Amino acid sequence: MKRGLALIAAAGIALFAIAAAGAKSNDTTISGAGSTFVSPLVSTWTPALGEAFGLNVQYSGVGSGAGIAAITNRQVDFGASDAPLSPDQASACKGCVQIPWALSATSIAYNVPGAPVHLNLDGKTISKIFLGQITNWNDAAIKALNKGANLPDLKITPVFRSDGSGTSYNYTDYLSAVNPEWKSKIGVSTQPAFPAGVGARGSGGVAGVVSRTDGAITYVDVAFALKNHIRFAAVRNAAGKFLFPSLRRITAAAAAFTKVPRDNEMHIVNPSKKAALAYPICTYTYIIVPQQTSHAPELRKMIFWALTQGQRPQFTAKLLFAPLPKPVLVASEKTLKSIHS
Amino acid sequence: MLPPGMEAASVPGAAALGQTRRVGDRVGDGILHGLTALAALIGVAIVFAIVWRVADGAWPAVKLFRLHFLWAREWNAPLNKFGARDLIVGTVVTSFGAMLLAAPLSIAIGLFLSELAPPAIRGPVGTLVEMLAAVPSVVVGLWGIFVLAPFDAQHVQPFLGSALGWIPIFAHGQDKVESTVFTAMIVLTMMVIPITSSICRELFIGVPTELEEASIGLGATRWEMVRTVVVPTVRGGVVAAVILGLGRALGEAIAVSQVIGNFIPLKLSIFEPGDTLASRVAGQYQGAITNVQIASLIYLALILLVITFITNVAAQRVVKRFEFQRTGGA
């Protein structure tokens, strides 16, 4: 009996020693959590960051809301969110700054057996679907956008994110821009009170429900939709063109907004019809760091690299992240300089 | 009745024993007493700490919404409007619905494995059920999400809808949506059955064989024996087992939030999406936008705490009453 106890104790001490040694050899580990949107991009950056600076970046895509909570409690070195911090979140985070570090789009994904591969939708129709006002796929409004297409008599099930999500923020930002009723009733939020449909947790949860529900429609970031082969719709922009999200169309949308406010909060949905080639549901995504942090030198190196080298097509193109436009890059670098230890 | 010579009075009192015992024993008893008292005290302290912390965190929302929170229906984080009514109803409907399905099934499983199954089956199947009770609820929940929920949406719900659709709470639109209140009930049922059925089995095994043999000897059938001897003997325990399962169902958050659809206002039919207290707290706490929302979510936790407290107290009373009946008040 005593022998057994001694053995267990010895094993425990050995394990502890191994853990301690492991931690020592990687003392430049940078941990981050948040946005699932930016997660695949951070994964492509990680090996390059390891090579360039010996940084061991450990990122978990737990959702923007959870990421903000994690950096607020300082459980991680940085948070990542597709939605800007709300006033209460910003004050709770005590001296955090948000830096736009990637640019992409939200797709409108659907699962309708028998629907055309090229499904056209516009903002008014999408918002009415999510308001519960358009409830069948053979509705006249959808038919009018898809002349000659064979749309089934099938109930529409809107699927939304039930956890705090930057994608929800981007999506409701867009719906508020195209439909005043949405703006006054629901508004822009990471946790909007959707008036119809069913909710699911995380991009994965939403995709799962959509794939198993005939007639479902949802919103999910483009990289996720591409990676999981989810079919998405062409959305009409202000110029009247039906467009799928693509690098050029995301860039075109971002180019329509050149003013960056002091807190870096950008809204680039539904650009005016001058941006004829713009996909209308685009968003910046932010890295959130405390201005004062013990890892300041490493974080500055890492973020600067992400803003410059990290924007190169070899990392971004496949995931449909567009390079940051100049005015945003300038603002991001300026904010980056304020981070100190 | 004790046999003669063993009346209580003939056993020496604790004080008398104390004088005749060795010093080592007395010190050991003292330490045992101290340690157990300390453990009990810590348990009580933790309960109070939890209640205090939850009440304290919920206070801003309690002050703002008062009891109106309990019957307000809207939950709109951006507009700072919060109400718990549909979440309370959702919690009660899913948990009690699950127990309505799980309790008879668990009792049946327990009876079969302890009384009715041939001995060759009893052993292996009994062990399997015990093992099932040891499977973490997350695992059962995942299985529920990926296997049970789709099956339920494709086959069970349309069938029940067509058979019972004329009753409003079973109205079914023939669309195969798996994120519904009913699916949550089914998943919860699967999560509580292992634990309640294994406890029931233990209880039924524990019924003295003499009693069973006597009732068979008096000419009772198996069913009469089960009904008049086995079940009444352990009725209190069975109720306790069901309440244990109910507690688990009430507090289950993640599995429920994956299958219930996270949608309020609640609709009349159980084949529509809904939400529960625990599921809402788990889903929104981390991404809460405003301080009022955080306080409101903790208010939900406080309500859940009160509900579990009430069910536990009620269960204790029921168990006591059954014990009283069984022993004839002795």
Side-chain angles (χ1 to χ4, degrees), chain A residues 119-142:
Chain A
L119 181 72
N120 288 336
L121 290 173
D122 66 359
K124 262 267 154 50
T125 311
I126 301 169
S127 63
K128 280 184 177 166
I129 289 174
F130 275 81
L131 280 169
Q133 293 164 354
I134 294 177
T135 55
N136 198 303
W137 280 102
N138 66 9
D139 191 282
I142 305 176

Side-chain angles (χ1 to χ4, degrees), chain B:
Chain B
M1 268 280 122
L2 290 161
M6 267 195 68
E7 284 93 4
S10 70
V11 179
L17 264 179
Q19 285 155 9
T20 62
R21 282 162 57 214
R22 283 176 301 172
V23 180
D25 281 0
R26 265 191 276 169
V27 172
D29 271 5
I31 291 176
L32 177 71
H33 184 85
L35 279 179
T36 47
L38 188 71
L41 210 67
I42 289 175
V44 173
I46 288 176
V47 170
F48 273 102
I50 291 173
V51 172
W52 181 79
R53 190 77 196 83
V54 170
D56 184 56
W59 192 243
V62 175
K63 238 174 22 187
L64 190 63
F65 301 115
R66 299 183 182 275
L67 287 180
H68 180 67
F69 189 75
L70 296 180
W71 53 86
R73 295 192 74 180
E74 201 177 0
W75 186 278
N76 191 328
L79 299 182
N80 261 337
K81 282 186 185 163
F82 301 102
R85 196 192 87 178
D86 285 1
L87 301 170
I88 297 173
V89 175
T91 304
V92 170
V93 167
T94 50
S95 304
F96 283 80
M99 290 324 293
L100 223 56
L101 297 173
L105 275 172
S106 301
I107 294 170
I109 293 171
L111 277 177
F112 180 73
L113 291 178
S114 63
E115 309 290 337
L116 307 175
I121 296 181
R122 267 182 222 189
V125 179
T127 316
L128 276 177
V129 171
E130 299 275 287
M131 268 169 60
L132 208 58
V135 173
S137 56
V138 214
V139 178
V140 185
L142 274 181
W143 178 78
I145 292 161
F146 290 115
V147 182
L148 200 58
F151 177 80
D152 171 51
Q154 297 297 321
H155 306 288
V156 182
Q157 292 188 164
F159 170 75
L160 286 177
S162 61
L164 302 167
W166 49 275
I167 310 171
I169 60 163
F170 292 112
H172 189 268
Q174 295 307 316
D175 42 314
K176 290 163 181 160
V177 179
E178 64 178 60
S179 304
T180 65
V181 172
F182 183 73
T183 309
M185 259 163 61
I186 297 288
V187 169
L188 283 176
T189 305
M190 286 323 289
M191 291 175 86
V192 298
I193 277 182
I195 190 152
T196 42
S197 63
S198 68
I199 296 175
C200 285
R201 174 174 164 268
E202 288 294 329
L203 286 167
F204 296 142
I205 287 177
V207 174
T209 340
E210 295 89 339
L211 290 179
E212 296 176 6
E213 281 167 358
S215 85
I216 296 282
L218 286 171
T221 62
R222 286 250 151 200
W223 164 243
E224 281 166 343
M225 176 199 84
V226 163
R227 197 169 52 90
T228 57
V229 175
V230 178
V231 173
T233 312
V234 292
R235 205 156 37 171
V238 171
V239 171
V242 170
I243 296 296
L244 199 67
L246 180 65
R248 189 173 232 195
L250 280 170
E252 180 52 45
I254 302 300
V256 170
S257 78
Q258 288 286 20
V259 297
I260 199 167
N262 315 100
F263 182 84
I264 53 171
L266 207 61
K267 290 165 194 158
L268 195 57
S269 167
I270 56 170
F271 300 128
E272 295 279 354
D275 211 355
T276 69
L277 295 164
S279 151
R280 177 98 355 179
V281 173
Q284 298 207 335
Y285 189 73
Q286 284 199 306
I289 314 161
T290 62
N291 298 335
V292 179
Q293 188 186 0
I294 294 176
S296 301
L297 288 166
I298 304 178
Y299 198 166
L300 294 184
L302 187 65
I303 295 171
L304 188 59
L305 206 63
V306 171
I307 293 178
T308 40
F309 181 73
I310 292 172
T311 45
N312 267 313
V313 170
Q316 275 172 17
R317 298 196 70 134
V318 171
V319 171
K320 268 211 188 107
R321 228 189 66 208
F322 281 149
E323 286 299 306
F324 188 78
Q325 279 180 359
R326 189 166 71 85
T327 55

